[in-house]
Amino acid sequence: MKTSRLLPGFAAAAFLGLTGCAGLRYQPEVPVLPRSAGEPVPLKVGLVVENTNPQMDASGFAAMYVANQSQVDFGRLLADGIRGSHLFEDVRYPMPHTMESLQNADLVFNASFTRSFNADPAKGPKAFLTGFLLFLPVCFIEYDDHYGATGRVTVDDTHGKWVKEYSQTLDLTASWKLFSEGRSYKEGPPTAASGLVAQLVQAMIADRTLFEKLARDKTSRPARKAAPVPAPEEAAAPAQAEAPAQTAPSEGPAAEPAPEPVQPAEKPKPKKPITSNDDQL
């Protein structure tokens, strides 16, 4: 009877103990995606990302596991972050490498990312101590893994002229206890990536004045004038002027009078034959 009364107490103690041994916290605090004040700047942005899921540079315990199982789409995170900030009128991602796309974008963002993972170098001794003491200190020993992320974004105008460059690095420490190990390996990489994107967007919002100036310059720039189209009458007049004048067909040189027919020469009359002496005299 007494044993049955003690069971709920042991169960509650076990639950509280396991809950305390499954803690996970990040240092420093993960940045939250900011939002720009005011209306979006009337600029269209095209985003080009070199490698949306860069290979992780991992070292230490569980390095290969973390590197192979963590998939992060930096391009999508950055595009959604810029859209969510309401800083620009439109953000196109992915942006095709075509002349038409470049002409339709006021700004082109070229982004590249790297990421890393460094396990707690003291994880081996901590695990040995925990096992040696029959897991009694399991709720008091924390493991500190480091998740790193670096982003670089260059901003060019539609003509390829350099405008601005942003470079941010985030070193996030994930402090976890024994029963939160798997959760840390799963949540750490995307959490670091999201924090890095928040830093990049915050830096862009800080340059809102620059982007507003670019928008004003675009508005004040005179539009290209199309070649004037001549009116139908004006267009027909030169054509008539350039057309060769029609002249009456030439009659050619004056015809010479036909030569008179040649009259046949008269035949000489035959001489009278001599038949008598008188004729001879």
Side-chain angles (χ1 to χ4, degrees):
M1 195 68 180
K2 293 181 179 181
T3 304
S4 61
R5 292 179 180 178
L6 293 177
L7 287 177
F10 282 120
F15 175 77
L16 294 175
L18 290 177
T19 303
C21 298
L24 173 62
R25 57 190 179 89
Y26 296 101
Q27 298 174 338
E29 187 177 353
V30 181
V32 180
L33 185 67
R35 178 166 178 169
S36 178
E39 296 295 327
V41 180
L43 291 174
K44 297 179 181 180
V45 172
L47 178 59
V48 179
V49 181
E50 181 179 344
N51 188 356
T52 60
N53 184 34
Q55 182 65 34
M56 178 179 287
D57 183 13
S59 63
F61 183 82
M64 295 300 296
Y65 172 77
V66 177
N68 293 329
Q69 67 92 31
S70 59
Q71 302 292 325
V72 177
D73 190 344
F74 277 94
R76 182 61 57 187
L77 285 175
L78 182 58
D80 292 342
I82 299 176
R83 292 191 188 105
S85 69
H86 290 207
L87 178 60
F88 299 105
E89 178 184 87
D90 184 35
V91 178
R92 185 177 183 185
Y93 175 80
M95 176 179 164
H97 292 273
T98 61
M99 185 61 65
E100 181 182 359
S101 298
L102 292 174
Q103 292 177 349
N104 292 333
D106 300 313
L107 297 175
V108 179
F109 286 14
N110 297 280
S112 59
F113 298 92
T114 61
R115 56 187 185 139
S116 62
F117 167 76
N118 295 306
D120 188 346
K123 183 173 184 178
K126 290 179 180 179
F128 174 79
L129 180 62
T130 302
F132 182 77
L133 297 177
L134 303 177
F135 291 89
L136 293 177
V138 70
C139 298
F140 306 99
I141 296 180
E142 285 188 335
Y143 301 86
D144 299 324
D145 293 336
H146 294 269
Y147 296 93
T150 301
R152 179 174 174 267
V153 180
T154 58
V155 182
D156 300 330
D157 63 11
T158 186
H159 302 290
K161 182 180 178 181
W162 181 88
V163 175
K164 187 73 178 183
E165 179 176 327
Y166 301 97
S167 182
Q168 295 289 332
T169 299
L170 177 64
D171 183 11
L172 191 65
T173 301
S175 299
W176 50 273
K177 296 178 182 179
L178 186 62
F179 295 102
S180 296
E181 182 177 8
R183 178 185 168 195
S184 171
Y185 295 155
K186 182 178 180 180
E187 297 180 3
T191 301
S194 299
L196 174 66
V197 167
Q199 288 183 346
L200 288 170
V201 174
Q202 181 63 60
M204 295 175 189
I205 293 177
D207 284 332
R208 180 185 175 92
T209 304
L210 170 63
F211 296 124
E212 289 176 342
K213 180 180 181 300
L214 294 175
R216 289 193 299 268
D217 294 343
K218 183 192 73 169
T219 305
S220 61
R221 190 181 304 123
R224 296 180 180 178
K225 295 183 179 180
V229 180
E233 295 79 3
E234 297 177 356
Q240 295 176 358
E242 295 177 0
Q246 296 181 358
T247 58
S250 60
E251 298 178 355
E256 297 180 359
E260 296 181 358
V262 180
Q263 299 292 335
E266 295 183 358
K267 295 182 180 181
K269 298 179 179 181
K271 295 180 179 181
K272 184 177 180 182
I274 301 174
T275 57
S276 64
N277 294 329
D278 294 337
D279 295 333
Q280 295 178 355
L281 292 179

